[in-house]
Amino acid sequence: MTNLHNEWWRKATIYQIYPKSFCDIGGKGTGDIQGIISKLDYLHALGIDAIWLTPIYCSPMIDNGYDISDYYNINPDFGCMADFDQLLLTAHQKGIRIILDIVVNHTSTEHQWFQSAIADKNSPYRDYYIWQDPKNGREPNNWQSKFGGNAWKFDQKSGQYYLHLFAEQQADLNWENPKVRAEVENIISFWAEKGVDGFRLDVINLISKQPSFPEDESDGRKFYTDGPRAHEYLQRLSESVFNKYGSVTVGEMSSTSLAHCQQYSATDATELSMVFNFHHLKTDYKNGDKWTNAPLDLLQLKQIFNYWQQGMYNKGWSALFWCNHDQPRIVSRFGDDKKYRVQSAKMLANALHMMQGTPYIYQGEEIAMTNPHYQSISQYRDLESINMHRIMLEEGKTEQQVMAILANKSRDNSRTPMQWNKKDQAGFSDVQPWITVASNYPEINVEDALLDQNSVFYHYQRLLILRKQLDVICWGDYQDLCPEHEQLFCYQRTTPEQKLLCINNFSAEQVPYALPDSLCLENTRVIIANYNSPEQVDRNGQVVNSLASKAITLRPFESLVLLEAV
Ligand code: NOJ
């Protein structure tokens, strides 16, 4: 039986790098591995334990690397294998682990397996993919691609369709074929053998499809999400690769359920270390539709966190996150990216980092980068956004309405170049970058953040230290203190020795709040807050402040974390 307390990643914080937008040393307008190496000291100063790199393998970059054409080589745009080896070595010397992204629900259609499969029906690779005959002269069923449109693409030559749950250039692999599973084991072993510390598994709960490919009254997702053999496949991978190398693993779970996530990340480690789910980020959708502009439903957000925090407690392990390369910037989304940018970014950080799980910081989140508020479709690069622009116009929305939705929901909101300093292109590159830099880089950049002891950067730094110091953050149970409150999100974490209260105002108004009767003020201290002056907050996360009364009034986006020794 594993001793959970020995697993480094339970008290760790992981930093996500989207290499194309992180730092360009080569002068091509796209980030590269040497750029990442040049920033390792910065990341070390932040205090992170590991880096998750989104895909760096050979790829035609239709979906920025999530369309892999060769799993064993580095995309020349990012550098070469020697660069990668140098990154791994240098990161390890600084005590930073490296987690690679493994995309094996699908390959690029430029992968040689697919090229062979489509060229010849009798190819040994034909059965690496999912082919079906037409039904009544049409697609085999009505399953929809996650990027819009039908999920089947017709191949004239063979008269069959292949499945692509994402872009048509991303053909789904056929995991029913044992040869595919063996290839996946070989790929992951190759990188583990090099010394890579772990893997983030892209949409890994979609790998097992219902083999009869039924028609659906909806978009088909129920026939391939957490499918019939998903757990079995992961158990085998875990036995043959992950356990052998001691890899940390995080599965990206699309539209999943608590019961499945408990099993994927069960504490007996037969499948994965931890899981990402996205339910909390659907709380600003209208009727389940992402492509709408709806305000945050705070009650729903709290309900979802409560359900998952309590449901995973002692059963599984969550990856905690607000941001990634597919999500808009959280400060623009659930905070206020103008007047209260700094306060709301710190508040959102507290609200997430005091939960149970392993937090992920997405590049730029630690300086509260915002959505770029692009004005024209010509500024967008993401294929999903460009598809949805066309589809929404076809549905009858005006250009202005569509642009307003993209400005809030497009994946490009998080893919703008990292803002390093005030120089041209925010110090990201010497040339015009592949995507426009957000115009606020003269005010929001790393150089300034490092000079300001009150910056969002140092707030994150303190949160990372607190997680390591306080067992209650890692192991405490979870209780929502005010599930019905329209503006506040307050929860409590408890172990037999400690009680922690995380009190957050999600509004731009002053809001009164009465701390629970059971709290003993004499034994309680504020350990991190977002309105404190820096001298009140010890950088080591020690004693900060005490409260005079249980009746408090929270200022706009104010956040307080209280620790009671019980
Ligand atoms: C999830 C990734 O995060 C996203 O960027 C990608 O487009 C899809 N999976 C398909 O691989």
Side-chain angles (χ1 to χ4, degrees):
M1 180 74 192
T2 8
N3 181 350
L4 306 189
H5 290 256
N6 289 342
E7 286 163 329
W8 65 269
W9 44 269
R10 295 196 196 260
K11 281 199 163 188
T13 301
I14 298 175
Y15 188 89
Q16 184 194 348
I17 293 185
Y18 196 66
K20 194 170 179 180
S21 301
F22 191 63
C23 179
D24 171 22
I25 292 267
K28 293 186 301 295
T30 53
D32 45 39
I33 295 175
Q34 285 300 332
I36 300 172
I37 296 172
S38 75
K39 300 297 182 187
L40 286 174
D41 283 334
Y42 165 72
L43 297 176
H44 184 61
L46 180 58
I48 52 116
D49 299 275
I51 293 170
W52 150 31
L53 282 184
T54 62
I56 46 165
Y57 321 95
C58 292
S59 161
M61 300 296 271
I62 296 288
D63 189 19
N64 280 345
Y66 284 93
D67 47 328
I68 299 174
S69 55
D70 176 356
Y71 290 91
Y72 294 96
N73 281 296
I74 303 289
N75 182 341
D77 290 347
F78 293 136
C80 60
M81 194 60 90
D83 294 324
F84 178 75
D85 291 340
Q86 187 190 343
L87 169 64
L88 195 60
L89 183 72
T90 323
H92 283 170
Q93 284 165 348
K94 295 181 195 298
I96 298 176
R97 292 176 164 94
I98 299 288
I99 296 173
L100 288 188
D101 215 317
I102 297 289
V103 188
V104 283
N105 174 68
H106 45 266
T107 73
S108 161
T109 48
E110 287 189 21
H111 193 290
Q112 60 179 31
W113 300 336
F114 189 83
Q115 289 294 308
S116 168
I118 199 162
D120 175 7
K121 231 179 155 174
N122 298 315
S123 155
Y125 295 105
R126 182 78 177 180
D127 201 28
Y128 272 39
Y129 296 90
I130 300 174
W131 299 92
Q132 290 284 299
D133 290 327
K135 230 182 198 157
N136 308 322
R138 294 196 49 136
E139 289 87 0
N141 62 32
N142 63 345
W143 295 6
Q144 295 296 297
S145 151
K146 303 265 181 192
F147 292 156
N150 191 280
W152 296 93
K153 172 83 180 167
F154 190 59
D155 166 38
Q156 204 74 41
K157 193 166 166 210
S158 65
Q160 286 192 308
Y161 286 87
Y162 69 84
L163 180 69
H164 61 91
L165 291 182
F166 294 88
E168 64 182 59
Q169 298 90 341
Q170 292 166 300
D172 278 54
L173 281 166
N174 175 19
W175 278 66
E176 294 281 332
N177 181 349
K179 289 192 192 139
V180 166
R181 303 200 296 269
E183 297 274 12
V184 169
E185 283 183 23
N186 290 342
I187 292 165
I188 304 178
S189 302
F190 170 83
W191 293 100
E193 202 58 50
K194 265 188 169 293
V196 165
D197 305 279
F199 303 96
R200 178 262 188 193
L201 298 143
D202 188 63
V203 289
I204 202 66
N205 65 330
L206 308 187
I207 55 180
S208 168
K209 280 83 177 169
Q210 176 58 251
S212 57
F213 298 100
E215 188 80 4
D216 191 12
E217 71 275 1
S218 163
D219 58 7
R221 72 178 64 191
K222 71 165 177 281
F223 294 119
Y224 56 75
T225 303
D226 303 312
R229 299 182 69 186
H231 292 284
E232 172 201 330
Y233 295 154
L234 285 174
Q235 282 156 18
R236 291 222 206 138
L237 267 183
S238 169
E239 262 166 45
S240 57
V241 192
F242 305 142
N243 286 350
K244 182 165 155 201
Y245 291 97
S247 320
V248 62
T249 49
V250 50
E252 188 203 25
M253 302 299 170
S254 169
S255 303
T256 189
S257 70
L258 176 62
H260 280 289
C261 285
Q262 289 169 336
Q263 192 179 342
Y264 290 128
S265 66
T267 43
D268 60 3
T270 55
E271 297 184 22
L272 302 172
S273 316
M274 61 183 124
V275 282
F276 286 113
N277 83 76
F278 296 88
H279 296 286
H280 62 297
L281 294 176
K282 296 182 179 170
T283 48
D284 59 356
Y285 289 12
K286 201 183 279 165
N287 304 324
D289 184 1
K290 163 174 167 176
W291 300 101
T292 50
N293 276 341
L296 164 66
D297 182 339
L298 182 63
L299 297 194
Q300 195 194 11
L301 181 78
K302 292 192 285 189
Q303 200 182 14
I304 291 171
F305 275 131
N306 191 54
Y307 176 74
W308 282 86
Q309 284 286 301
Q310 295 196 343
M312 293 292 263
Y313 184 67
N314 280 341
K315 295 217 167 61
W317 198 257
S318 298
L320 305 171
F321 72 108
W322 284 128
C323 303
N324 68 27
H325 63 290
D326 296 330
Q327 300 292 332
R329 293 284 179 184
I330 198 64
V331 69
S332 303
R333 190 175 187 180
F334 295 169
D336 172 346
D337 68 5
K338 297 190 176 61
K339 185 166 176 199
Y340 296 111
R341 185 182 65 86
V342 169
Q343 290 90 339
S344 64
K346 291 179 182 177
M347 181 280 287
L348 287 161
N350 284 359
L352 190 84
H353 281 246
M354 290 299 128
M355 291 189 190
Q356 183 174 52
T358 300
Y360 285 67
I361 301 174
Y362 176 68
Q363 64 186 46
E365 182 182 341
E366 76 281 14
I367 55 164
M369 276 175 61
T370 69
N371 290 349
H373 306 291
Y374 287 154
Q375 302 291 322
S376 148
I377 188 65
S378 65
Q379 293 176 291
Y380 287 94
R381 299 287 175 269
D382 171 33
L383 90 164
E384 183 195 39
S385 306
I386 294 166
N387 273 352
M388 290 314 299
H389 175 255
R390 179 180 41 78
I391 291 171
M392 286 190 278
L393 288 179
E394 282 165 9
E395 285 168 358
K397 293 200 172 69
T398 65
E399 178 70 19
Q400 207 186 2
Q401 287 168 327
V402 174
M403 288 308 295
I405 292 174
L406 290 180
N408 286 333
K409 295 291 170 72
S410 165
R411 306 195 297 179
D412 281 337
N413 284 312
S414 56
R415 298 178 180 184
T416 61
M418 181 72 185
Q419 294 166 204
W420 294 106
N421 56 42
K422 291 190 179 57
K423 295 194 195 122
D424 281 355
Q425 314 304 348
F428 162 74
S429 174
D430 292 336
V431 300
Q432 185 69 38
W434 70 280
I435 188 167
T436 313
V437 178
S439 58
N440 55 21
Y441 70 89
E443 298 85 53
I444 305 171
N445 59 69
V446 167
E447 198 172 275
D448 284 358
L450 292 176
L451 292 173
D452 173 7
Q453 286 302 306
N454 233 346
S455 70
V456 178
F457 176 90
Y458 291 115
H459 188 88
Y460 271 90
Q461 190 187 53
R462 284 193 286 276
L463 286 172
L464 271 47
I465 293 169
L466 284 173
R467 174 164 292 269
K468 291 234 165 15
Q469 286 179 337
L470 298 177
D471 274 348
V472 66
I473 300 178
C474 191
W475 303 114
D477 66 11
Y478 180 96
Q479 194 194 346
D480 191 335
L481 293 174
C482 56
E484 302 302 328
H485 202 293
E486 303 276 348
Q487 290 152 307
L488 301 184
F489 181 5
C490 307
Y491 61 87
Q492 175 173 300
R493 307 280 318 279
T494 316
T495 62
E497 296 79 30
Q498 290 174 322
K499 188 185 281 177
L500 180 143
L501 277 75
C502 186
I503 313 287
N504 305 293
N505 181 0
F506 267 68
S507 80
E509 283 146 33
Q510 300 229 359
V511 183
Y513 181 64
L515 292 167
D517 286 343
S518 57
L519 191 79
C520 169
L521 274 190
E522 290 74 57
N523 291 344
T524 302
R525 302 183 190 293
V526 181
I527 54 165
I528 189 163
N530 61 350
Y531 272 81
N532 281 351
S533 57
E535 59 276 15
Q536 286 172 287
V537 183
D538 173 344
R539 281 269 222 91
N540 295 319
Q542 293 304 319
V543 177
V544 181
N545 209 343
S546 56
L547 289 175
S549 149
K550 284 192 189 166
I552 56 177
T553 298
L554 293 151
R555 289 163 277 187
F557 297 103
E558 183 159 10
S559 173
L560 298 171
V561 181
L562 311 178
L563 182 69
E564 182 188 19
V566 285

